[in-house]
Each structure stands twice: as structure tokens, then as C-alpha cells.
Amino acid sequence: MKKEKKKTLLVHRKGATRSMPSNHPLTPQDYQICGQPVLIGGTMGTHSYVLTGTQQALKETFGSCVHGAGRSLSRAAARRSINAQQVLNNLEKNGIIAKVANPSLVQEEADKSYKNVYDVVQACSKAGLSDPVVRLRPLCVIKG
């Protein structure tokens, strides 16, 4: 068996968030019992999720997890292919109040612009990187 060397590392979480477990010295005091909150945001019209960090995340990803679903369309592609008024109509139909400075701004953040957040949450959970706690429903969108 090969002897492990101790290394000092710098963890940069671009595109990720902390996912520290309970009872870990790097977990903030307020979260020692439950673990570091992991927020995975949905889109303007989909749920967002609160999860908690795990031991597995500490072991596998230096205590990191995703912070959102990730784009499926570039911002430019979204502007070219998504109808802004249709997005606003869908939000209204689902009881979500939208206040936007310019209706075209919603194209980049439309549901179709992102991966399915539920699938991303399930993948993180299945990989043991975070444990789902609560699902949040959007009530209002402010874009400006």
C-alpha cells in the first residue's frame, strides 16, 4: 500500500458552493447540527432547493456541490429562440408575479435556458454530495 502524502490545497469553487457536513470544524457554528446549507436555485418558473452538506462531499469534492442547474442554452441562443411574452404568460399562468424592466430580459433566464433542476438535485443526492431538505416554489420574479 502506498503511503499518503499530506498536501496543502486551495479549493476554488467557481460554479459550486460549500457542502460541508455537520460536526466539521469548517462548518459554521450555526450549522454544526445539520450541516452547511446548499442552495440549488431553479429558474424563474421552477422550484429551488435547500440541501445540506455531507461527509461524502467532503471526501469526494473537497466539500463542494453545484449551486444551480446549469445552462442548457447560451444567453445569446436563448434570446434568439425564446419568446419573451410567452415566458411572461407562463409565469402568470403559474401564479408567479413578474416585474421586469424590459420583457426581453426574461429570455436568458427562461426555464428552457437551464437544465432540469430536479434532475440536478437528484444527481447530487444520489452521488452523496448533499441531502435534500426542502423545495421552494417561486412567488415573484424581479428582473431589471
Side-chain angles (χ1 to χ4, degrees):
M1 193 158 98
K2 194 174 182 180
K3 185 178 178 183
E4 291 184 22
K5 284 181 162 181
K6 189 171 184 171
K7 296 180 182 179
T8 300
L9 301 173
L10 173 66
V11 177
H12 184 274
R13 291 187 174 89
K14 174 144 176 48
T17 190
R18 285 172 50 117
S19 183
M20 304 301 283
S22 59
N23 301 313
H24 188 276
L26 293 177
T27 302
Q29 186 64 41
D30 289 347
Y31 307 119
Q32 281 292 316
I33 294 173
C34 59
Q36 175 89 33
V38 174
L39 306 176
I40 300 181
T43 65
M44 296 182 298
T46 62
H47 294 98
S48 293
Y49 292 81
V50 178
L51 304 88
T52 56
T54 63
Q55 286 290 338
Q56 188 69 17
L58 190 61
K59 182 178 165 184
E60 298 286 330
T61 63
F62 302 105
S64 298
C65 189
V66 303
H67 76 265
R71 297 192 74 83
S72 60
L73 287 177
S74 70
R75 292 179 186 281
R79 286 191 301 270
R80 284 191 303 270
S81 64
I82 296 173
N83 180 291
Q85 192 56 54
Q86 189 174 18
V87 172
L88 292 170
N89 291 345
N90 286 339
L91 290 171
E92 183 179 1
K93 183 178 80 175
N94 289 309
I96 301 168
I97 299 166
K99 298 294 181 190
V100 297
N102 180 342
S104 66
L105 294 173
V106 299
Q107 294 163 296
E108 296 176 7
E109 305 301 326
D111 298 357
K112 293 178 187 177
S113 297
Y114 287 87
K115 297 172 190 162
N116 183 311
V117 69
Y118 176 79
D119 293 343
V120 172
V121 168
Q122 291 304 305
C124 291
S125 178
K126 189 174 179 180
L129 302 180
S130 54
D131 293 324
V133 175
V134 67
R135 181 179 71 175
L136 306 170
R137 184 178 74 82
L139 300 174
C140 180
V141 173
I142 300 171
K143 186 87 172 139

